[in-house]
Amino acid sequence: MSDPSSVFTLQSFSGALSDLVSRAASGVVSVHSHRSRASGFVWRPDLIMTASEALAEEGEIAVVLPGGESVPATLAGRDPTTDIALLRIGRADLQKATLAPDHVTAGALAVVVGARDGAPVAALGIVSVAGGGWRSLRGGEIDARIELDVALRRSSEGGLALDATGRAFGMAVSGPRRRVLIIPSATLDRVAAKLETHGRIARGYLGLGLQSVRLDDGGVGAMVMSVDTKGPGAAAGVRQGDVIIAWNGQPIRSVQTLLRALGPDSVGSSVRLSLKRAGEPVEIGLTIRERPDA
């Protein structure tokens, strides 16, 4: 025979979770793009935030509001490096989601609230990783490393991650090897503010096509395979066939690491490149410009 107090506790817990999801769902929407279904949430009365990776590259976009009403949306801006996209809709009467500081700890309960055709979708899990800031594979600066142990539906990507009190501490996205990553509130607000104003996030540009090569001493270099004649590399005198061996005096660890250094803060800065040209050492100063297609 079951213990009545245990049943009451489970019922109370279940009811509390249901209420938490219901409150959050008023600000969560479905996002439909070409052959893609995802979730998003109201960041500002007429702006929807969603996961850039889950949004089709082209075609029409529609947002399905809580209750099922579908409204057209246009892309206000996207930043693939932080997996954030901003959509604009012609509605200013929607209840926006409130993002709270991302103070979460490993082992804490977490709920992901997404939407499917205007109805809420929820998943319960725990915070498996809670750490410091990191840089994504595409070079985006993420303010905190938060991972969830939770089963995330594809249609819930871009939904809100809530703590046990119902505070939204970030946006749930799919990471490498099926990890569920959270883009924390601080990153969402920082990036979305720039997307709202500029429609993009500036990225650094060298104007060089690079390929990793092994050096004679066992280190790694970046061979220049192509040079944009209008780019900063050409202006600085970098030539096809040069091998970059150091960046501001630091040895190159990989081409990917070098490219990750070309974040928004790099635009306009000067760097010193140490090269090997036909086996001879060459030092070149280069000023990083903004990527033309950023």
Side-chain angles (χ1 to χ4, degrees):
M1 188 172 183
S2 60
D3 182 353
S5 62
S6 298
V7 173
F8 177 78
T9 300
L10 287 174
Q11 288 177 339
S12 299
F13 177 63
S14 177
L17 282 178
S18 181
D19 289 343
L20 182 151
V21 171
S22 179
R23 291 195 303 271
S26 60
V28 179
V29 302
S30 303
V31 177
H32 294 185
S33 58
H34 182 62
R35 295 183 180 178
S36 178
R37 298 291 184 269
S39 296
F41 57 91
V42 183
W43 181 66
R44 293 285 187 267
D46 63 340
L47 291 170
I48 303 296
M49 191 179 295
T50 188
S52 177
E53 189 72 22
L55 193 66
E57 291 294 331
E58 56 185 14
E60 296 181 349
I61 306 171
V63 169
V64 183
L65 306 178
E69 180 186 357
S70 179
V71 297
T74 57
L75 182 65
R78 72 193 306 171
D79 176 32
T81 72
T82 55
D83 205 0
I84 297 171
L86 207 58
L87 307 176
R88 191 176 301 278
I89 60 176
R91 294 284 294 272
D93 59 337
L94 303 178
Q95 180 176 329
K96 72 173 187 176
T98 300
L99 296 172
D102 42 278
H103 298 310
V104 294
T105 57
L109 287 175
V111 179
V112 175
V113 180
R116 182 177 180 181
D117 296 330
V121 178
L124 175 65
I126 65 169
V127 177
S128 55
V129 175
W134 60 290
R135 190 186 294 269
S136 75
L137 293 175
R138 293 184 174 182
E141 294 287 348
I142 314 295
D143 290 79
R145 180 84 184 195
I146 305 173
E147 296 182 19
L148 300 187
D149 186 356
V150 65
L152 184 69
R153 295 169 178 259
R154 177 67 174 174
S155 61
S156 293
E157 189 171 4
L160 286 173
L162 313 176
D163 65 14
T165 68
R167 298 187 316 157
F169 59 87
M171 178 176 69
V173 301
S174 295
R177 295 182 292 277
R178 297 186 178 181
R179 291 174 178 163
V180 177
L181 304 177
I182 301 302
I183 309 302
S185 299
T187 305
L188 297 177
D189 282 334
R190 170 171 53 82
V191 172
K194 293 179 180 179
L195 292 178
E196 181 183 15
T197 303
H198 305 291
R200 57 183 171 75
I201 301 296
R203 303 292 303 169
Y205 182 62
L206 300 177
L208 305 173
L210 304 174
Q211 179 175 308
S212 181
V213 295
R214 182 65 62 179
L215 302 176
D216 293 338
D217 62 4
V220 175
M223 177 174 282
V224 179
M225 307 300 292
S226 61
V227 180
D228 177 357
T229 57
K230 298 181 180 179
V238 180
R239 301 176 186 174
Q240 186 175 2
D242 287 348
V243 177
I244 304 173
I245 60 175
W247 174 283
N248 281 337
Q250 298 298 314
I252 299 297
R253 290 186 293 173
S254 69
V255 170
Q256 190 64 38
T257 300
L258 187 153
L259 295 178
R260 288 180 191 174
L262 301 175
D265 294 338
S266 71
V267 178
S269 64
S270 297
V271 296
R272 188 176 79 259
L273 301 181
S274 300
L275 312 174
K276 284 285 187 179
R277 177 176 293 168
E280 297 298 320
V282 176
E283 295 286 325
I284 285 181
L286 181 151
T287 300
I288 300 171
R289 298 180 192 167
E290 182 178 340
R291 180 176 291 276
D293 58 348

